[in-house]
Amino acid sequence: MKPFPTIAVPHKDIMEDKLTMDVFAANLWEVFKGRAPDEYQDPETFFKKTYETQGLKNIIEITQKRLKGEGGDPVIQLQTPFGGGKTHTLIALYHKSKEMGAKTVVISGTALDPKDITIWEEIEGQLTGKVDKLEGNTSPGHEKIRSLLDDNQPVLILIDELLEYATKAAGVKVEGSNLASQLLAFMQELSEAVSTVPKAQLILTLPSSHMEHFDEGAEALFTQLQKVSGRLEKIYTPVDDDEIYPVIRSRLFSRIDERESAKIVNQFMDYAEVENILPDNIDKSDYKHKFLKSYPFQPEVIDVLYKRWGSFPSFQRTRGVLRLLSLIVNSLKDSKNPIIRLSDFDLGHDEIKRELINFAGPEFDSIIASDITSPESGSKETDKKLGAAYLSYSFGTKISTTIFMYSFSGSQSGKHGASVREIKLSCADADIPSAIISDAIGFLNDTLLYLHSSDGRYFIHREPNPKKAFISKKESIKDEVVTNAEKDLLGSILGRNIFEIYKWPTKSNDIADTKKLKLIVGKDPDRFEEFLENYGERPRVFRNTMIFLAPLESERHVFDDHVRGKIAWDLVLNDPLIQLNQDQKKEIKEKVKTAEKDSKEYIRNLYRIVYIPTRDGLKDIDLGRHPYGMSTSIDNEIKERLKSDDEISEVLAPLLIQQKYLRGKDYVVTKNILDSFYKTPGEDRITSDNVLKTSIIEGVKQKLFGLGILTDGEIKCQKFGEKCTPYLQEGEIIIDADICSKPQCPEVTISFIKNNHLKLGEYVETKKIFESLLRNCEEEEAKSKLISAIKNGVENGSFGIGQLVEGKAECQLFQEECYPTLLDAEIISRADLCKEGLEDSHGGYKTSSWKIKNVYLKNSDFILTKEIFHSEISEYNENEVKETLKETIATGVKEGLFGLGDLTEGEPECSFFKENSSPEFKDNEVIINSTICDGNSDVYKNIQLEFEVSVEKVPDIIRMINFLKEPFDDVKAKTDFKITAKNGEMPIAEYDRIIETFEQLGIDVIRQIKK
């Protein structure tokens, strides 16, 4: 929607920052003297800014008729409340009389001094330029007055503020009477004289409110003036109540785009109807018509000022409304508001506030500041409480402003304050659901010091509400009282059916070291690591059973404030020195009851950060804010959250056990799995042993793995695909399904090889025997068993070992130690063929690359070629051996059986592998194990680590040694510890006890430095 200044364009004087309020104080005398502002002095400007009400039109028409001698009322009294348009009407008649060609007499009771001149003298002076016939302090009589008027007709006499002149005249002595009495006589004579002159008219003003009569004497004069002039006069009201809207619009705005304003009003009406906030005492179409007449103001703006504030004795109704609204429009000239609401009144604006305080009373200056405008006020606090999304709308400030404007009902209204519907209507924004206003009213009711309510209506009162006593009580509550309340509230929400509960423990051994899941509630998360690692003086064992709960410190202020508030209201209610009426007692009891109900929400929203152990330390989980009204205990809520995050398990999928613990392994000890659940941070966290037992039972039944025992290193599968009973004890294992499901690996013996593989042929490739074993055996088991059987068979002469050379089998080792490789071309031959072959080969030197690898490298990483050469020439010609050996080594390098290189600082460096080479048997020349040369090894055969750690990390390092035990069967890990402590002091006796402890543990202290 468009901003209102683009649709209803304010007059230039309204837009100017130097706008003075005296322009709204219409003064007939100043116009008569030519000294008034242009708004009143210039007829064109005056009528341009004046809305001609029906009353004004009637009076002008009657005057015109009378001055033409065509009849009409000779005497008219304008009677309205203070500021109701009397003087404005006289100015309009003054300008119109000029157009009618009449002589105009202007009398202002505030301008004339009875000591200097009488009204009758002033009338003659203005008509004739001199005072002759009517001179003196006694009334001149009917004939003289009539003669004067008859000689100067058409004549219009305008008398403003007559009562004020009469009041002053009462102090002027005239023989045995006073001038006021003479004035009464004159007014009767003047009224009668005007009635007899055809083209003469008298228009005078009298106030309608008795509070404008100054004192008892003035009250009597007012009654007498009414009695004297009332016989002939007609009483007119220039402005009817429903005409105030166009009157104000004409004076404040130079033009209004009616089409655009209608769009705005229609959009707002649609919104208000949906939100059900339209006034319930007026028809929708009537309200819309009223809104169109009042735009850009909501009708309530003008109604509240004109009817409620207008009831103040000193508030000059139309004039007062104009003065105030001109300030409002000026303050909003740069706003984006499509309409002007009561909530848009800026009570922080000095001039606006001063205008209102003039009528409400000076005590409201501090009330407005403390409750509405100051940064610390309850209104500003409510603006923030509603959240960032609503902060720019300032609903707290707007609502309290609206309530303030509705709070002054005056004598003419039976209603006091504003209803929720009226507040919503005056604060509504078409972009926001009005329900937020109800929330804001609730906040304001809890924070404003001068806000009261009665019969569903809210109002600001000069007397503070019980909130002030509440604030005093709240500020006096000590911290330990809040702490005790916090501890009690914790006990009410923790529950005890799921975890062992430890509330605010002070020492680590306050928390049991058992398999039971534990919830440790603490105020200081910095101590959780200490509780996790230690159980008194020893390391804690069951660390994965610990769950911690801590407060979110950003909620601390909110919680403490709530607790203090609940206690404070209770103290106010039970303080005999505080006088409360029944409504207040009822309201405070409700506050206490609500606070007690909400306390569990506040303590839960405070204690919401859960910490659980992981491999990388403690991991925090924010439970988030508690759904309002939810009654679940916090231990159950934690359990459900951890279950949803897979951090705690009441059921373990057997597939998870298989994939996590059996992957790449033949078996796992069930007790080790169970221990890891309880001991190792970050492992699956189970609620009891039965969780693992149930998972194993299901896994065995589903054939995901088997259950059995480990005896002397041998796996025995006992249960697979059937019901079982796990005990989770030492020696009990779960076994890879492939082991339990496939036939058992056969015993590989010399007889097995001969009967199954050499029975029908002269030789067999070792690789084919190995591949046949893999059908029923694991690779490592098959390799180990086959190599052992071949070695034994070759050594005892059951068969020989050699290789295929150009498709022909050659037996190269027989009845001696060998090291089978199970690689391509490696064979075992029948014993008789090996004997024949070896006998035939005695004629000259023969060897092979396979033999070189098998005999010389064995399990070594490298050997000097020179050493091989010297070993081989013991029985053969040196040159023959050298040439044959060179060729054989070069063949082995090209085949990839080994590499060729040099020994540098004791370490082999491979230069040739799977390529042509020329061995020379020089110093440091070596053949090298192929696993070193091909660069594809994915294992380490020797590990040495050196590092320094802090003392608290030592237990973690010790646990790392366990990872070395399985791949390195005979690991003998040693750790050098160096403990350095500085910048502190330790008693000598305590140090001696530490050394004694080392001795008891069998640890030798290598070096001691003490200073």
Side-chain angles (χ1 to χ4, degrees):
M1 290 189 279
K2 293 182 179 180
F4 80 84
T6 65
I7 300 170
V9 181
H11 285 300
K12 183 180 178 182
D13 60 346
I14 303 297
M15 295 294 284
E16 290 175 351
D17 291 331
K18 295 181 180 180
L19 177 69
T20 59
M21 292 297 100
D22 59 355
V23 301
F24 297 105
N27 191 311
L28 177 63
W29 187 257
E30 291 297 299
V31 174
F32 173 65
K33 291 294 185 180
R35 301 187 300 237
D38 282 346
E39 283 81 357
Y40 299 105
Q41 194 69 55
D42 179 60
E44 183 179 350
T45 303
F46 175 82
F47 284 106
K48 183 178 180 182
K49 293 186 177 182
T50 296
Y51 174 78
E52 291 192 24
T53 65
Q54 190 59 48
L56 179 57
K57 288 178 181 178
N58 289 342
I59 293 170
I60 292 174
E61 185 178 332
I62 291 168
T63 297
Q64 188 172 23
K65 188 176 182 180
R66 179 69 184 178
L67 294 179
K68 287 182 178 180
E70 297 175 356
D73 299 317
V75 180
I76 294 176
Q77 181 195 139
L78 300 180
Q79 188 176 104
T80 69
F82 200 24
K86 299 185 297 290
T87 304
H88 199 88
T89 301
L90 294 181
I91 295 173
L93 290 170
Y94 175 80
H95 288 308
K96 286 293 183 181
S97 68
K98 302 284 188 183
E99 297 176 11
M100 299 173 192
K103 291 185 177 181
T104 307
V105 175
V106 173
I107 302 296
S108 173
T110 59
L112 299 179
D113 186 347
K115 296 177 183 178
D116 298 332
I117 192 168
T118 64
I119 287 181
W120 46 89
E121 290 173 333
E122 181 67 23
I123 291 174
E124 184 181 12
Q126 289 187 29
L127 288 175
T128 64
K130 60 183 179 179
V131 179
D132 183 16
K133 295 180 181 180
L134 307 185
E135 185 179 10
N137 282 353
T138 58
S139 179
H142 172 271
E143 284 302 321
K144 288 183 180 180
I145 299 171
R146 186 187 184 288
S147 175
L148 177 67
L149 298 178
D150 190 50
D151 292 342
N152 291 280
Q153 62 177 321
V155 59
L156 175 64
I157 302 173
L158 303 175
I159 302 179
D160 197 12
E161 306 293 354
L162 179 60
L163 179 61
E164 183 164 343
Y165 182 88
T167 304
K168 293 186 288 184
V172 178
K173 299 294 183 182
V174 179
E175 298 180 0
S177 179
N178 59 42
L179 189 58
S181 298
Q182 295 299 314
L183 175 64
L184 291 172
F186 170 74
M187 289 306 301
Q188 181 172 338
E189 295 164 359
L190 176 63
S191 298
E192 292 174 352
V194 168
S195 298
T196 62
V197 177
K199 295 183 181 180
Q201 188 179 43
L202 167 64
I203 299 179
L204 59 90
T205 67
L206 284 174
S208 66
S209 172
H210 288 208
M211 296 302 293
E212 297 178 47
H213 301 170
F214 310 111
D215 57 22
E216 292 181 4
E219 185 76 27
L221 283 171
F222 173 75
T223 303
Q224 290 175 300
L225 283 171
Q226 276 194 318
K227 185 177 180 182
V228 167
S229 59
R231 293 184 304 161
L232 299 172
E233 70 183 352
K234 288 289 184 71
I235 299 176
Y236 286 89
T237 301
V239 182
D240 289 333
D241 284 351
D242 62 349
E243 292 180 309
I244 189 63
Y245 308 112
V247 168
I248 290 172
R249 292 211 312 179
S250 295
R251 180 59 188 86
L252 298 181
F253 301 97
S254 60
R255 62 179 175 84
I256 295 177
D257 186 331
E258 300 295 346
R259 179 177 295 179
E260 288 297 325
S261 66
K263 288 182 182 178
I264 299 290
V265 170
N266 285 333
Q267 288 179 33
F268 184 87
M269 290 292 294
D270 290 343
Y271 164 80
E273 187 172 20
V274 171
E275 293 292 316
N276 193 29
I277 60 175
L278 288 172
D280 54 10
N281 59 347
I282 184 172
D283 183 76
K284 176 186 173 183
S285 60
D286 291 340
Y287 182 77
K288 178 180 177 181
H289 178 69
K290 191 175 181 181
F291 203 159
L292 289 170
K293 289 199 301 180
S294 67
Y295 182 85
F297 301 104
Q298 259 188 342
E300 290 72 26
V301 173
I302 298 172
D303 289 350
V304 166
L305 288 177
Y306 196 68
K307 296 176 182 178
R308 292 182 178 237
W309 286 77
S311 64
F312 279 108
S314 56
F315 194 90
Q316 300 176 352
R317 298 202 83 180
T318 306
R319 187 187 308 168
V321 173
L322 284 170
R323 282 168 58 87
L324 186 55
L325 290 184
S326 66
L327 291 172
I328 299 299
V329 173
N330 179 270
S331 71
L332 296 172
K333 62 186 179 184
D334 296 322
S335 79
K336 303 298 182 184
N337 293 9
I339 60 175
I340 300 175
R341 307 159 295 180
L342 281 172
S343 60
D344 296 318
F345 285 29
D346 183 3
L347 299 184
H349 189 290
D350 284 341
E351 287 188 271
I352 295 173
K353 181 176 68 172
R354 189 162 55 247
E355 279 288 314
L356 294 171
I357 288 175
N358 281 340
F359 311 112
E363 65 272 21
F364 281 96
D365 192 1
S366 60
I367 292 173
I368 289 172
S370 65
D371 268 3
I372 303 176
T373 59
S374 74
E376 297 79 23
S377 68
S379 297
K380 302 304 181 189
E381 183 181 333
T382 299
D383 291 343
K384 297 172 187 174
K385 272 187 180 180
L386 293 174
Y390 299 107
L391 186 59
S392 63
Y393 294 93
S394 303
F395 278 122
T397 302
K398 290 185 180 299
I399 292 167
S400 54
T401 298
T402 299
I403 293 172
F404 174 80
M405 295 304 299
Y406 265 100
S407 295
F408 303 95
S409 60
S411 59
Q412 294 185 3
S413 174
K415 294 183 178 179
H416 195 51
S419 67
V420 172
R421 183 187 289 260
E422 288 169 332
I423 294 170
K424 285 185 175 182
L425 188 61
S426 291
C427 298
D429 189 297
D431 295 329
I432 304 293
S434 64
I436 191 67
I437 295 173
S438 297
D439 296 339
I441 292 173
F443 290 141
L444 291 170
N445 206 32
D446 290 336
T447 55
L448 299 193
L449 299 179
Y450 295 89
L451 178 63
H452 297 258
S453 63
S454 178
D455 298 327
R457 304 185 73 81
Y458 295 87
F459 56 93
I460 304 292
H461 194 268
R462 56 174 49 85
E463 294 296 329
N465 58 37
K467 183 72 178 177
K468 203 151 191 175
F470 162 80
I471 291 172
S472 177
K473 298 284 187 186
K474 188 176 177 182
E475 290 174 348
S476 67
I477 296 170
K478 295 182 179 179
D479 291 343
E480 54 263 33
V481 175
V482 178
T483 299
N484 291 335
E486 179 180 342
K487 196 168 187 179
D488 291 342
L489 285 171
L490 259 177
S492 71
I493 67 167
L494 283 174
R496 291 192 172 274
N497 298 324
I498 299 170
F499 307 108
E500 286 183 352
I501 303 293
Y502 296 90
K503 186 167 60 177
W504 294 359
T506 57
K507 304 186 296 296
S508 63
N509 57 3
D510 289 341
I511 307 163
D513 190 15
T514 63
K515 292 181 179 180
K516 177 71 175 175
L517 285 177
K518 291 166 279 292
L519 180 63
I520 299 95
V521 185
K523 298 179 76 173
D524 183 9
D526 292 338
R527 297 202 63 196
F528 290 170
E529 286 281 0
E530 173 195 345
F531 293 160
L532 179 67
E533 296 296 333
N534 303 313
Y535 176 64
E537 297 297 321
R538 69 170 175 79
R540 185 174 292 277
V541 176
F542 299 106
R543 294 183 296 160
N544 206 39
T545 64
M546 303 185 77
I547 299 167
F548 299 93
L549 177 65
L552 178 64
E553 285 307 318
S554 61
E555 292 282 339
R556 170 69 60 187
H557 172 74
V558 175
F559 172 79
D560 286 355
D561 186 71
H562 169 78
V563 171
R564 290 181 191 276
K566 186 265 177 190
I567 296 171
W569 280 125
D570 210 27
L571 291 173
V572 170
L573 187 62
N574 294 288
D575 190 336
L577 299 178
I578 299 175
Q579 300 298 315
L580 301 171
N581 60 41
Q582 289 304 312
D583 285 344
Q584 290 170 335
K585 285 181 180 179
K586 181 180 178 181
E587 182 181 352
I588 295 173
K589 284 180 181 178
E590 191 61 35
K591 287 180 183 291
V592 173
K593 182 179 178 181
T594 301
E596 288 175 347
K597 179 182 176 182
D598 292 345
S599 290
K600 289 185 179 181
E601 309 288 337
Y602 280 91
I603 189 69
R604 159 57 184 79
N605 288 333
L606 175 64
Y607 281 85
R608 59 190 269 189
I609 306 300
V610 175
Y611 293 87
I612 56 173
T614 70
R615 290 180 176 84
D616 301 320
L618 289 172
K619 169 187 174 182
D620 63 279
I621 299 172
D622 189 346
L623 295 175
R625 297 191 67 79
H626 191 262
Y628 186 78
M630 187 174 175
S631 58
T632 307
S633 62
I634 198 168
D635 61 341
N636 190 66
E637 189 180 352
I638 291 171
K639 173 189 168 185
E640 293 303 317
R641 174 60 183 273
L642 294 182
K643 280 173 61 178
S644 69
D645 289 355
D646 295 326
E647 297 291 354
I648 195 171
S649 302
E650 290 181 309
V651 177
L652 279 176
L655 186 61
L656 182 145
I657 299 293
Q658 179 204 46
Q659 292 181 345
K660 186 171 183 179
Y661 297 99
L662 269 176
R663 177 172 292 192
K665 297 179 181 179
D666 292 341
Y667 68 90
V668 180
V669 178
T670 58
K671 185 176 183 298
N672 291 348
I673 299 175
L674 182 68
D675 285 347
S676 72
F677 288 162
Y678 292 131
K679 298 177 181 180
T680 307
E683 284 295 319
D684 290 285
R685 195 171 286 102
I686 59 176
T687 53
S688 71
D689 294 5
N690 288 333
V691 175
L692 179 57
K693 287 181 180 180
T694 303
S695 182
I696 291 174
I697 291 170
E698 288 299 315
V700 172
K701 191 183 295 184
Q702 296 172 22
K703 295 185 179 182
L704 292 174
F705 44 76
L707 182 68
I709 59 173
L710 191 67
T711 305
D712 297 328
E714 183 179 353
I715 299 171
K716 291 186 178 180
C717 188
Q718 297 175 320
K719 297 288 182 179
F720 186 68
E722 57 187 312
K723 186 177 180 180
C724 67
T725 304
Y727 296 98
L728 311 182
Q729 297 174 348
E730 289 289 352
E732 182 184 69
I733 57 176
I734 55 171
I735 306 163
D736 183 80
D738 290 342
I739 294 176
C740 287
S741 60
K742 72 181 182 181
Q744 295 292 310
C745 185
E747 292 296 321
V748 182
T749 62
I750 295 171
S751 299
F752 174 82
I753 295 173
K754 290 176 68 176
N755 295 334
N756 290 282
H757 296 283
L758 277 177
K759 186 176 182 179
L760 301 177
E762 296 179 348
Y763 69 90
V764 63
E765 294 179 52
T766 59
K767 185 176 181 182
K768 289 185 177 180
I769 302 174
F770 175 61
E771 289 174 346
S772 70
L773 289 174
L774 291 179
R775 298 189 191 102
N776 298 319
C777 302
E778 291 296 328
E779 182 177 348
E780 290 301 322
E781 183 182 10
K783 182 183 289 186
S784 175
K785 286 183 175 182
L786 181 57
I787 288 175
S788 177
I790 292 173
K791 288 175 68 175
N792 292 335
V794 173
E795 285 187 34
N796 67 21
S798 297
F799 39 74
I801 191 168
Q803 69 181 129
L804 288 175
V805 179
E806 296 179 356
K808 183 179 179 181
E810 290 187 1
C811 184
Q812 296 170 339
L813 293 176
F814 182 67
Q815 292 184 326
E816 58 184 303
E817 185 178 13
C818 71
Y819 296 91
T821 64
L822 310 184
L823 298 175
D824 290 339
E826 183 185 70
I827 61 169
I828 53 173
S829 301
R830 288 194 341 232
D832 56 330
L833 294 178
C834 276
K835 289 176 183 178
E836 293 174 5
L838 290 174
E839 288 172 357
D840 293 341
S841 66
H842 287 165
Y845 175 70
K846 296 177 88 175
T847 188
S848 69
S849 56
W850 180 89
K851 183 177 179 180
I852 296 294
K853 172 181 175 64
N854 208 294
V855 173
Y856 290 103
L857 277 179
K858 296 182 181 179
N859 289 328
S860 301
D861 288 337
F862 63 89
I863 186 171
L864 294 166
T865 56
K866 202 171 188 180
E867 186 178 328
I868 300 172
F869 173 67
H870 287 305
S871 175
E872 292 290 310
I873 63 174
S874 59
E875 299 179 8
Y876 299 98
N877 177 273
E878 180 177 336
N879 289 331
E880 181 182 359
V881 170
K882 191 170 189 177
E883 291 305 316
T884 302
L885 192 57
K886 277 185 178 182
E887 183 179 341
T888 302
I889 291 174
T891 300
V893 171
K894 190 168 184 178
E895 290 174 345
L897 291 175
F898 41 77
L900 181 67
D902 296 314
L903 196 64
T904 304
E905 296 181 358
E907 295 293 331
E909 291 186 0
C910 196
S911 301
F912 300 96
F913 182 66
K914 291 184 179 180
E915 58 187 317
N916 293 327
S917 62
S918 299
E920 298 178 0
F921 305 111
K922 62 182 179 180
D923 292 341
N924 292 332
E925 184 184 66
V926 291
I927 60 170
I928 305 165
N929 194 300
S930 60
T931 59
I932 296 175
C933 285
D934 67 11
N936 292 324
S937 177
D938 58 357
V939 299
Y940 294 115
K941 296 183 178 181
N942 183 280
I943 297 173
Q944 183 174 348
L945 302 171
E946 294 184 10
F947 44 79
E948 290 185 2
V949 297
S950 57
V951 173
E952 58 267 20
K953 290 292 184 182
V954 170
D956 296 323
I957 300 303
I958 292 173
R959 283 193 291 272
M960 292 295 294
I961 295 172
N962 293 330
F963 291 107
L964 300 175
K965 287 184 177 180
E966 189 172 342
F968 290 85
D969 295 334
D970 299 320
V971 67
K972 294 181 180 179
K974 291 186 178 181
T975 305
D976 293 332
F977 287 100
K978 179 180 179 181
I979 300 176
T980 303
K982 297 180 180 180
N983 301 325
E985 294 181 348
M986 176 183 286
I988 294 174
E990 190 172 333
Y991 176 80
D992 290 342
R993 281 197 298 274
I994 292 173
I995 300 302
E996 183 181 344
T997 302
F998 282 133
E999 292 174 353
Q1000 292 172 354
L1001 294 172
I1003 298 173
D1004 295 330
V1005 179
I1006 300 171
R1007 184 182 183 193
Q1008 296 186 50
I1009 298 176
K1010 310 184 290 288
K1011 294 182 182 179

